[in-house]
Amino acid sequence: MTAGIYSARQKLETLLITKEFGGQMSKKAVTIENYPGFEEISGSELIQKIEKHLKRHEIAIEINTVKDVGKSGEFFLVKTSDQKEFRSKAVIVASGADPRPLEVDGEKEFIGKGVSYCVACDGPLFVGKTVAVIGGGNAGFEAALSLSNYAKKIYILESGDKLKADATVQGRVAALGNVSVVTQVALQKIQGKDFVNAVVYQDRASKEIITLEVQGIFVEIGSQPATSFVKNLVDFNEKDEIIADPKTSMTRTPGLFTAGDVDDVPYKQIVIACGEGAKAAISVSIYLQKI
């Protein structure tokens, strides 16, 4: 959306293709306290404000899913899931990332039956229940903070021996009183009957196998970039993030730019993603002037 705002301000004929507005911010960022100008705001509220700002400008919006991006001569050809095709001289890929799965037995079987990747979506379903949050980073601790409004007991399970979350958010979770943090967790499986009733893990230090009785599991172990539709046009790093020029955001294909969590910018923050969107759009304008 930031790339769209800046493209419109540059007076470029711009089409924004998206399957939805919001992405990770509306689903995972329950409370935002570090976006300049807002001491505290929910992810959904901030999305609504940016969307309203975007739609003030002359910009075409297509609610759709991109399936493939190719290039022939000076034009890119963008194909959508319903067989529509669009031509352009430049493309900004700002498709973000999808939740990274645990890849353990029982995970896929119990998706929607106790396994969730979205606290904002599913947290209210676990009133008075015991849940586990997988991941000891900021996302995991923020998920625990949100779940504390519903669940009676919360476990945060971290695979490493140290927590990655900021000290501030760790302190807020510690003050809750109903959250237990467990480190050195090697997940084995998720089990249940019709719904989740336990998660099984091995303590990496003691090698003991432990069964933790829970009714819900929230996965917060990071994300994987949504890049399948541009695989033939870009280079990737070891995390499958698109490699782009840090100064211009352009990929190895002239005219193809990236912004946000889809690329190899190391810090995944909302304010940085917005800045990357602005940079990419300005770079597109300069690129088009040159050609």
Side-chain angles (χ1 to χ4, degrees), residues 8-268:
R9 286 177 56 84
Q10 298 287 328
K11 301 301 182 183
L12 304 178
E13 185 178 357
T14 304
L15 170 66
L16 188 153
I17 306 175
T18 183
K19 64 180 180 180
E20 62 182 0
F21 285 102
Q24 295 183 85
M25 198 197 311
S26 63
K27 294 177 180 177
K28 299 170 76 70
V30 180
T31 302
I32 299 167
E33 298 178 318
N34 57 359
Y35 192 87
F38 298 97
E39 294 181 13
E40 183 175 307
I41 188 170
S42 71
S44 59
E45 286 179 297
L46 186 54
I47 281 293
Q48 289 169 13
K49 289 180 180 295
I50 301 174
E51 182 181 349
K52 182 179 179 181
H53 189 171
L54 171 74
K55 290 179 177 178
R56 287 183 57 192
H57 296 280
E58 292 185 8
I59 181 170
I61 297 173
E62 171 80 17
I63 303 300
N64 216 321
T65 302
V66 173
K67 287 298 184 182
D68 182 68
V69 177
K71 190 178 186 185
S72 178
E74 64 175 323
F75 284 102
F76 289 93
L77 185 63
V78 180
K79 298 180 181 180
T80 62
S81 57
D82 60 357
Q83 308 305 313
K84 289 182 180 179
E85 296 183 350
F86 301 94
R87 289 200 310 165
S88 67
K89 290 189 176 181
V91 170
I92 298 174
V93 177
S95 49
D98 299 314
R100 190 177 297 278
L102 296 169
E103 304 289 1
V104 299
D105 289 346
E107 178 183 17
K108 292 181 180 179
E109 178 184 351
F110 289 105
I111 291 175
K113 299 177 181 179
V115 173
S116 174
Y117 305 88
C118 178
V119 172
C121 310
D122 300 328
L125 302 176
F126 294 87
V127 173
K129 297 183 179 181
T130 299
V131 301
V133 175
I134 313 299
N138 282 337
F141 273 76
E142 288 166 2
L145 283 171
S146 179
L147 286 166
S148 68
N149 295 315
Y150 313 108
K152 68 175 181 180
K153 177 66 179 179
I154 303 163
Y155 294 94
I156 296 177
L157 307 182
E158 163 60 35
S159 63
D161 58 355
K162 294 180 180 179
L163 300 171
K164 304 181 185 72
D166 296 339
T168 300
V169 71
Q170 286 193 47
R172 291 177 62 193
V173 167
L176 291 173
N178 66 335
V179 180
S180 296
V181 179
V182 185
T183 58
Q184 299 199 69
V185 169
L187 288 179
Q188 303 293 303
K189 62 181 178 179
I190 296 167
Q191 61 186 30
K193 294 182 179 179
D194 295 328
F195 295 91
V196 168
N197 62 29
V199 58
V200 180
Y201 69 89
Q202 182 183 50
D203 185 303
R204 294 183 187 275
S206 68
K207 306 303 180 183
E208 180 185 1
I209 301 295
I210 298 169
T211 299
L212 201 60
E213 293 185 4
V214 297
Q215 290 80 56
I217 295 172
F218 289 83
V219 182
E220 299 288 350
I221 59 169
S223 55
Q224 50 194 14
T227 58
S228 60
F229 54 91
V230 288
K231 286 193 178 296
N232 296 324
L233 299 176
V234 300
D235 294 324
F236 298 98
N237 65 11
E238 69 282 357
K239 298 179 181 178
D240 285 333
E241 298 167 330
I242 298 173
I243 297 173
D245 184 331
K247 292 182 178 179
T248 65
S249 297
M250 189 154 71
T251 67
R252 69 170 169 83
T253 299
L256 182 61
F257 300 77
T258 69
D261 285 8
V262 75
D263 67 26
D264 59 347
V265 172
Y267 307 113
K268 308 305 183 185

Side-chain angles (χ1 to χ4, degrees), residues 268-281:
K268 308 305 183 185
Q269 298 289 309
I270 295 167
V271 69
I272 293 175
C274 289
E276 291 293 304
K279 180 173 69 177

